[in-house]
C-alpha cells in the first residue's frame, strides 16, 4: 500500500482550535496541512502548507503526535503539531470551503475526515495542556 507522509497544524487561539472544510478531494473537516515534500522536515512542511492554504505564518509550533491511518487507497502517516499564528495573522480560505474556530465542546460539531477524527478524543483530553503558556 502506498504511504503518504503528511503534517498538520492544530492552530490555537483564545481557547479555540481552527478547523477547515476541504475544498477538493475528500469532503470533510480537517486540521490544515498537507504532504511532506522530499527534502523537507514535517515542521517545515506544516509551515509551508499553512502559508499556502491559509495565507498565514505560524509563530510557535510543537510536536504533539503522529497519526497512522489506512484509507482505502493509501496509508497516511501524519505528524501533528500544535501551533499559534504569528501576531496579527487571520486565516484566509485559499483552498478550503469553510473555516471555524472551535471550542472544546464544539469539537464534535463538524464532520471530520477519518484520520483527523482519530485525533479529536486526544485533543479533547489534552485540551488544558495544549493551551498551557509553557508550550505557546
Amino acid at each position: 500500500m502506498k504511504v503518504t507522509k503528511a503534517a498538520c497544524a492544530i492552530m490555537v487561539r483564545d481557547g479555540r482550535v481552527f478547523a477547515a472544510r476541504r475544498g477538493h478531494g475528500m469532503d470533510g473537516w480537517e486540521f490544515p496541512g498537507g504532504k511532506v515534500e522530499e527534502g523537507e522536515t514535517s515542521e517545515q512542511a506544516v509551515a509551508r502548507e499553512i502559508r499556502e492554504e491559509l495565507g498565514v505564518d505560524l509563530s510557535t509550533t510543537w510536536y504533539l503526535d503522529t497519526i497512522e491511518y489506512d484509507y482505502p487507497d493509501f496509508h497516511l502517516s501524519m505528524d501533528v503539531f500544535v501551533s499559534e499564528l504569528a501576531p496579527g495573522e487571520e486565516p484566509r480560505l485559499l483552498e478550503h470551503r469553510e473555516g471555524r474556530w472551535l471550542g472544546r465542546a464544539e469539537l464534535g460539531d463538524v464532520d471530520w475526515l477519518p484520520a483527523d477524527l482519530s485525533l479529536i478524543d486526544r485533543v479533547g483530553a489534552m485540551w488544558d495542556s495544549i493551551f498551557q503558556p509553557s508550550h505557546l
Side-chain angles (χ1 to χ4, degrees):
M1 181 177 283
K2 178 184 169 192
V3 175
T4 298
K5 182 70 176 167
C8 74
I10 300 174
M11 296 187 308
V12 299
R13 183 176 70 192
D14 300 328
R16 297 184 176 280
V17 297
F18 188 79
R21 186 172 180 191
R22 291 180 61 115
H24 56 83
M26 291 182 277
D27 186 30
W29 290 77
E30 66 180 353
F31 292 113
K35 292 180 184 174
V36 177
E37 294 180 355
E38 190 172 328
E40 111 185 306
T41 67
S42 292
E43 193 167 0
Q44 291 167 331
V46 77
R48 176 186 50 76
E49 288 283 346
I50 296 304
R51 201 173 308 110
E52 290 173 1
E53 293 180 2
L54 299 170
V56 296
D57 288 318
L58 302 173
S59 65
T60 305
T61 300
W62 56 273
Y63 173 80
L64 177 67
D65 199 1
T66 299
I67 299 299
E68 304 288 340
Y69 189 84
D70 288 326
Y71 282 101
D73 299 333
F74 66 98
H75 174 81
L76 178 67
S77 179
M78 183 168 63
D79 290 336
V80 180
F81 296 90
V82 175
S83 304
E84 264 192 325
L85 296 177
E89 297 276 77
E90 184 62 37
R92 293 170 296 175
L93 302 177
L94 303 175
E95 295 187 18
H96 293 88
R97 284 191 277 167
E98 295 178 68
R100 288 180 57 187
W101 288 99
L102 303 171
R104 185 184 207 166
E106 299 167 306
L107 289 174
D109 290 356
V110 298
D111 185 20
W112 294 98
L113 291 171
D116 293 79
L117 181 60
S118 69
L119 274 170
I120 298 307
D121 287 340
R122 174 137 190 199
V123 169
M126 295 185 65
W127 193 265
D128 293 335
S129 64
I130 286 173
F131 286 95
Q132 281 184 355
S134 62
H135 291 303
L136 303 175

